[in-house]
Structures are given as C-alpha cells and as structure tokens.
Amino acid sequence: MSEKQEQSGLGQVPTLPQNGIKTTNTLRTQKTLQKANSGSMKNIHYIYLIILLASGIMVGCGKQTKYDVPASFETRETQADIYPDYKDIVIPENIAPLNFMMEGAMGMVVTMETEGGKAMTISGADRIDMDTTEWRSLLKENIGKDIKVTVYTMEGEQWFRHAPHTLTVAEAIDPYLSYRLIEPGYELYRQLGIYQRCLENFTQKVIYENNRTYEEKNNHCINCHNFQNYSTDRMLFHVRSNHGGTIMINGSEAKKIQIKNPNILAAGVYPSWHPKKNLVCFSTNQTGQTFHMYHKEKIEVVDTNSDLILYDADKNEVRNLLSTEYFETFPCWTPEGDRLYFCAANIPPVVGLPDSMRAEVITKNYDKIHYNLMCMDYDEKTDSFGTPKVVVDAAAAGRSITFPRVSPDGRYVLYAEGDYGQFHIWHKSSDLWVKDLQNDTCYALTDANSDDVDSYHTWSSNGRWIVFSTRRMDGNYTRPFIAYFDKQGKAHKAFCLPQRDPEHNILLMKSYNVPELSKNAVQVSEQTLREVIYHTDGDTATYVGEPRTDAMTGATRKTEK
C-alpha cells in the first residue's frame, strides 16, 4: 500500500492526487461523475479514466512547478492567509512537515530562515510540499529557537511578499497518534476504524476496520481505544453490537472478554488503565441520543444511568466500584495510581423512576444536567478506595465538566467544560480547562481554545503537548489539533495535524475521534484482531462482590439486552 493510500486509511478506495488539484477541480470531477450515472457503466468507466489521466497530467505539472525567490515584489503588511493556519505557533522538533496552501495563489515561494542564518526555500503552485529530510534537519538544529517564515505569492503577473510569521521549535512529542475515523451516521455500524498515524511523517496504519458494507449479521461499532502508560504493550478497545466484547491486547496478542453481568449496569466503556497494575476502571453507561429540530447543536447524547466498575485483567474479575444515585462516568487514574478522578452528576428528578420514565425526563431536562469533577484515593496495598469528594463544583456555577486527564507530573487535571451534559464533543460551548492541583486554581486554556467544540484531549508523555479534537475548521467534522503546554502551565496556539496534501482536511468526510498518543507503534496485526473479533466469543469475567440493586429504584438489575 502506498503512503498516500495509508494516509487515507482506505486502501481499497482510489485516492485523489496529492498535488495540483484544487477544490474546484474536485467538485468538477464529482459533478462529471454524477452526470455519467445516467449513462452506461462503460461510459462511467471511460469518463473516470479520462479524469484520472487528466488529473495525472495536472499533478505532474504541479510537481514540476518551481520558482526562485522573486527579485521584485510588492510588500503586504499582513501575513499570508494560509490553510491550515500554521502562523506563529510552537511545534515539536519531530513533527511532520507543515505543508499548507493559499487560495487564489498562482505561484508560491516560501523561505524559512533560522537565527543562525540557515535558509530553506520551497516553491509550488497554490500549495507547498516540503522535503521531509530537509525539514527534519532544520527542526533538529533549531530546538528552542525561532524560524522566520516568509511567504511570497504570485497573483496574476505580480508577486507579493507577505509579513513573516514564526515557528518556535520545542521538545519532541510522542511519535504515534491513534484515533477513530467515523462518519456522522449515528446508527449504521460500518465504515469506521481505528488508525495510527506516525507524527514524524505522513504514514497512517490501520489498527482495525469494521465491515465496509452493511451486513446485518456483521455490523458492529468499535470505540474507546486506550493504552497503559503511553505504551502499546497493553491496549484495549470495545466492540459493540455483533461480535461484541472488550478486546484486550498484550503486545502482538489479543483476546476478547465479556464484562456484562446481571450485577452490572452494562458493558464497560471510557476505560482508564492503572499505571502500575493490570487493572482497568470503566464507566458503565445506559446511553441514548436525540436530535434537535431547531438548535445550534445537532445532537444530544445523554446517559440515563451510569456507574464505575473495576476490572482485574490478571484474574478476569470485575466488580462495581461506584453505583449510587449519582451518574458517575469518565474515570482517570493519576500517574502514580494512588487516586482516581471521575465526573459525577446529581439528577434528582429521576430518583425512584422506572427506566421507561427516566429516559423521557432526562431527555426533556438535558440542558439542566451538570457534572462535577470528583476524585477518591486508592490504596494499592489493600486494594481499597476512599470516600468520593468534589474537586471542582461546576454544577454550582451552572457548568459541566467531562473527560478528566491528569498530566504526567500529576500537577494538572485537564478537562472539557461546557454549559451542560457530558458528551461535549457535540457542544459548541465546550472548552479545555485545567485544574492546577498545586495552586488550587482552575483556568481555561484560552490560546488553545476556539469558538467551536474542543474536547477529547490527551497529554503527551512528557507533559509538554496536548492533542484534542475540535470542530473549529468547518463546524461539522472534528480534526486533531496540537497545542504546546509550557512549564508555566500556559497552553499556546493550537495547530492542525499536518497532512501531505493540506486539502486533505477539506476532502475527508470523516471525524477524528478520541486521539491517543503512544511512544511506540501498535504491535498487534489487523488480521489477528479480525480473527479474535469475528471468530471468538470471549471469556466471561467473573463478578465479585455483593448482588447489586438499582440505586434509582431499589430493583434488582437485569443484564442489558
């Protein structure tokens, strides 16, 4: 599979050329194919062949486009309007080239000058495609320093020089980023997968993809991938619907387990692996979704009940950890494993109501549900937990906190805060915040946040980088953004995950979901995972503890169907 096919993650589907094709050409291609649908299949193939040949010619011309730094030009006081926005940012010293484009440009020349006087010059038509080796050398030699970037554009027959911008080179980021690519289909469990991107280049590897066509007996969803200590030596993810279960991975080996039990609310989700022990804390949620008829948000995902459970992977045992009248969710261990953070909401209107009425009441009151940041201590020697306590009382301020993540040094808790609810990936009010545990202060990461969704975040293993999902580019699809988090606790301007073709973020009609960093590449093969998912039922975990009753109604729980 070629690097371009790996980047798309869809090796079976022809990819668009990486250079020389503008969005208008892409749209023209789509319209031509639509007209061809009314003709014979032969005509479709013939037209498609012509388009591909023409595209190849255009790409060839684009790659040969080369300009020198113009000797004469007009000066503009404003910076170039490049896409993506890579202006005045802090970047890791091992990041892939920040290729960009500029609409309306007929030619581009970009110079990169260092404090030591070294220069790198790149040119192209309406976009640039940097040499990876030259780019990597430039960054390695300038760690802790600034690189001045000057953009020249040709418009008509006139060259313009735009005001320069700066790239500040900082510490390295973990080289691998895993994420789910998913269409906003909401119900159809197909054509989604978990992938791993090498941040040092443009290679994307398939970890696992589900069925590409609708198949009643094979449709399944995959979600909630997670690593222990940023290492792929231990990894897990969930399979829902057909072939369901939790996939536990040890290096290159995998197995399926079944956590469902009459004493547990539902199967485990939102995992957090203990940093030292083979323990995983999950939340177990009864979740539903509704669609707005007239609202700035498209969808609401709400829980009608949720608990915390603890799974011992060595013993294959599971037990309830918290099962109260509160809704507990999103567990997260500290780096030392001596404390567990989570979120919880008190929803008094549903206490004592049966399931049939609970969902209706919660749906009608979706914007009145507020989650607090909670924690409880853990004693590893006695395998016991302390009393839950409130860390940030967001509900008192009419706000809601979700998805806590503790920094590797244990000082900061990074979380998403919005107006209400717990599924902030669909809430435009969602921003990234931190709780400074040393100074007992909370503040928004203003320079990294946007006016749209910012959520599903992760720390790098050195604590200097944050990767998160945001809809800031078009308001519809989430893209992974990277922000530097300095030693003073300040987050800097975030930038989009670089692609070889900057137009990739316009053309890709899938969302990046749950980005997770790791120090090493995933070791297990896709074929091994497929064999385990499709052809094993999974080992059933043993429930340990007292029989549980529903804290809402007092009734004995039944296994989720």
Side-chain angles (χ1 to χ4, degrees):
M1 186 181 296
S2 72
E3 184 179 273
K4 293 178 184 178
Q5 287 175 317
E6 286 181 331
Q7 178 176 320
S8 71
L10 305 173
Q12 304 91 326
V13 178
T15 56
L16 288 169
Q18 293 280 5
N19 295 282
I21 306 296
K22 296 183 179 180
T23 305
T24 52
N25 294 325
T26 303
L27 295 175
R28 191 177 299 120
T29 297
Q30 293 172 345
K31 291 178 180 178
T32 302
L33 287 174
Q34 288 170 356
K35 291 180 180 179
N37 285 336
S38 59
S40 66
M41 185 61 68
K42 180 179 179 179
N43 288 336
I44 293 175
H45 290 163
Y46 179 70
I47 292 173
Y48 189 49
L49 178 60
I50 291 175
I51 292 169
L52 289 178
L53 289 173
S55 298
I57 294 171
M58 294 171 69
V59 171
C61 294
K63 287 185 176 179
Q64 293 173 359
T65 301
K66 187 174 182 180
Y67 299 99
D68 295 324
V69 177
S72 61
F73 49 81
E74 290 188 14
T75 301
R76 286 180 172 165
E77 297 182 357
T78 57
Q79 294 177 333
D81 186 17
I82 61 175
Y83 177 89
D85 180 4
Y86 290 141
K87 302 188 294 286
D88 302 322
I89 57 175
V90 183
I91 61 174
E93 52 97 353
N94 60 331
I95 196 68
L98 303 181
N99 294 334
F100 60 82
M101 60 189 291
M102 186 167 173
E103 185 178 359
M106 300 178 66
M108 292 179 64
V109 177
V110 178
T111 63
M112 298 188 177
E113 302 172 82
T114 68
E115 296 175 8
K118 183 176 181 179
M120 174 179 172
T121 303
I122 317 99
S123 63
D126 66 336
R127 66 199 67 196
I128 59 168
D129 185 358
M130 302 184 211
D131 179 81
T132 302
T133 302
E134 190 177 2
W135 166 261
R136 185 177 293 120
S137 175
L138 182 70
L139 267 55
K140 289 285 186 183
E141 296 173 6
N142 289 277
I143 300 173
K145 301 177 182 179
D146 291 341
I147 298 174
K148 185 176 79 170
V149 182
T150 304
V151 179
Y152 299 81
T153 58
M154 182 171 64
E155 301 169 26
E157 298 181 356
Q158 177 66 50
W159 282 97
F160 295 89
R161 186 181 68 182
H162 301 263
H165 62 267
T166 301
L167 300 176
T168 302
V169 186
E171 303 96 315
I173 192 171
D174 299 300
Y176 295 98
L177 183 70
S178 299
Y179 42 77
R180 189 169 64 151
L181 286 177
I182 181 172
E183 296 173 346
Y186 311 110
E187 290 294 342
L188 297 179
Y189 292 158
R190 62 182 178 87
Q191 295 188 6
L192 61 94
I194 302 174
Y195 307 86
Q196 185 173 72
R197 162 74 184 271
C198 179
L199 297 181
E200 297 177 345
N201 52 49
F202 302 106
T203 303
Q204 176 174 277
K205 172 188 174 182
V206 176
I207 298 176
Y208 177 78
E209 287 180 336
N210 69 353
N211 46 308
R212 298 187 58 77
T213 59
Y214 186 88
E215 303 173 41
E216 189 65 36
K217 65 178 181 179
N218 286 323
N219 290 339
H220 58 281
C221 179
I222 47 178
N223 63 335
C224 297
H225 54 283
N226 192 262
F227 306 106
Q228 184 185 44
N229 291 331
Y230 301 92
S231 171
T232 63
D233 291 345
R234 283 179 176 169
M235 175 187 175
L236 66 84
F237 64 89
H238 301 302
V239 178
R240 293 188 294 169
S241 190
N242 296 309
H243 312 299
T246 298
I247 309 303
M248 305 291 294
I249 299 168
N250 285 281
S252 60
E253 300 179 352
K255 66 178 181 179
K256 183 190 293 183
I257 61 168
Q258 300 292 350
I259 296 179
K260 287 184 179 181
N261 185 280
N263 292 292
I264 293 174
L265 186 63
V269 293
Y270 306 135
S272 180
W273 221 309
H274 190 277
K276 299 177 182 179
K277 304 180 69 174
N278 204 6
L279 293 175
V280 185
C281 186
F282 299 93
S283 65
T284 175
N285 307 52
Q286 290 180 337
T287 304
Q289 60 182 2
T290 58
F291 295 85
H292 291 286
M293 295 185 67
Y294 183 75
H295 199 278
K296 65 178 181 178
E297 314 287 9
K298 294 181 175 66
I299 186 175
E300 288 299 331
V301 178
V302 296
D303 286 343
T304 57
N305 212 341
S306 59
D307 296 334
L308 297 185
I309 60 175
L310 192 66
Y311 173 70
D312 188 324
D314 290 334
K315 299 178 181 178
N316 195 28
E317 293 179 347
V318 63
R319 72 178 193 257
N320 279 294
L321 184 56
L322 283 178
S323 181
T324 71
E325 70 273 14
Y326 293 89
F327 285 10
E328 301 95 357
T329 189
F330 295 123
C332 174
W333 292 100
T334 59
E336 294 300 319
D338 57 355
R339 178 171 293 178
L340 183 73
Y341 285 88
F342 59 98
C343 299
N346 182 17
I347 311 180
V350 300
V351 174
L353 293 179
D355 290 347
S356 59
M357 298 180 63
R358 187 185 307 168
E360 181 180 355
V361 172
I362 290 176
T363 300
K364 289 181 178 180
N365 292 275
Y366 72 91
D367 57 352
K368 298 179 179 64
I369 300 172
H370 301 97
Y371 285 77
N372 288 331
L373 178 62
M374 310 285 293
C375 77
M376 54 185 177
D377 295 333
Y378 174 68
D379 189 324
E380 186 177 339
K381 294 181 180 179
T382 61
D383 189 29
S384 59
F385 290 84
T387 302
K389 56 184 179 182
V390 177
V391 179
V392 180
D393 190 353
R399 303 284 287 169
S400 191
I401 289 175
T402 69
F403 212 68
R405 290 294 185 95
V406 184
S407 61
D409 63 3
R411 176 173 175 176
Y412 300 96
V413 182
L414 174 66
Y415 56 87
E417 180 175 312
D419 290 340
Y420 59 86
Q422 52 84 26
F423 214 70
H424 283 341
I425 195 63
W426 284 109
H427 294 156
K428 293 181 182 297
S429 63
S430 176
D431 281 327
L432 301 181
W433 284 63
V434 290
K435 165 80 173 184
D436 185 339
L437 300 174
Q438 180 175 304
N439 297 330
D440 194 28
T441 56
C442 298
Y443 55 91
L445 303 185
T446 305
D447 290 343
N449 289 324
S450 71
D451 293 333
D452 215 305
V453 173
D454 300 304
S455 182
Y456 277 145
H457 39 272
T458 185
W459 293 95
S460 63
S461 61
N462 61 7
R464 295 278 73 86
W465 302 97
I466 296 169
V467 183
F468 59 97
S469 292
T470 176
R471 298 188 196 275
R472 67 183 65 188
M473 297 192 87
D474 61 14
N476 293 308
Y477 295 97
T478 51
R479 299 290 183 248
F481 269 59
I482 303 169
Y484 185 62
F485 189 84
D486 64 30
K487 294 179 181 179
Q488 289 70 46
K490 172 182 170 61
H492 294 248
K493 177 181 175 181
F495 63 94
C496 185
L497 174 69
Q499 306 288 350
R500 179 172 293 282
D501 182 356
E503 202 170 19
H504 178 81
N505 289 310
I506 299 173
L507 300 176
L508 181 66
M509 291 186 288
K510 288 180 181 286
S511 283
Y512 288 79
N513 188 251
V514 192
E516 292 283 356
L517 288 164
S518 64
K519 299 176 183 178
N520 58 336
V522 170
Q523 304 164 56
V524 66
S525 69
E526 183 187 10
Q527 183 58 42
T528 295
L529 293 175
R530 189 167 300 278
E531 182 70 23
V532 169
I533 290 171
Y534 275 80
H535 301 296
T536 65
D537 295 328
D539 299 329
T540 301
T542 301
Y543 177 79
V544 293
E546 297 296 324
R548 301 296 294 171
T549 56
D550 193 323
M552 293 289 177
T553 65
T556 301
R557 285 190 175 154
K558 297 180 180 180
T559 305
E560 183 193 50
K561 303 237 176 134

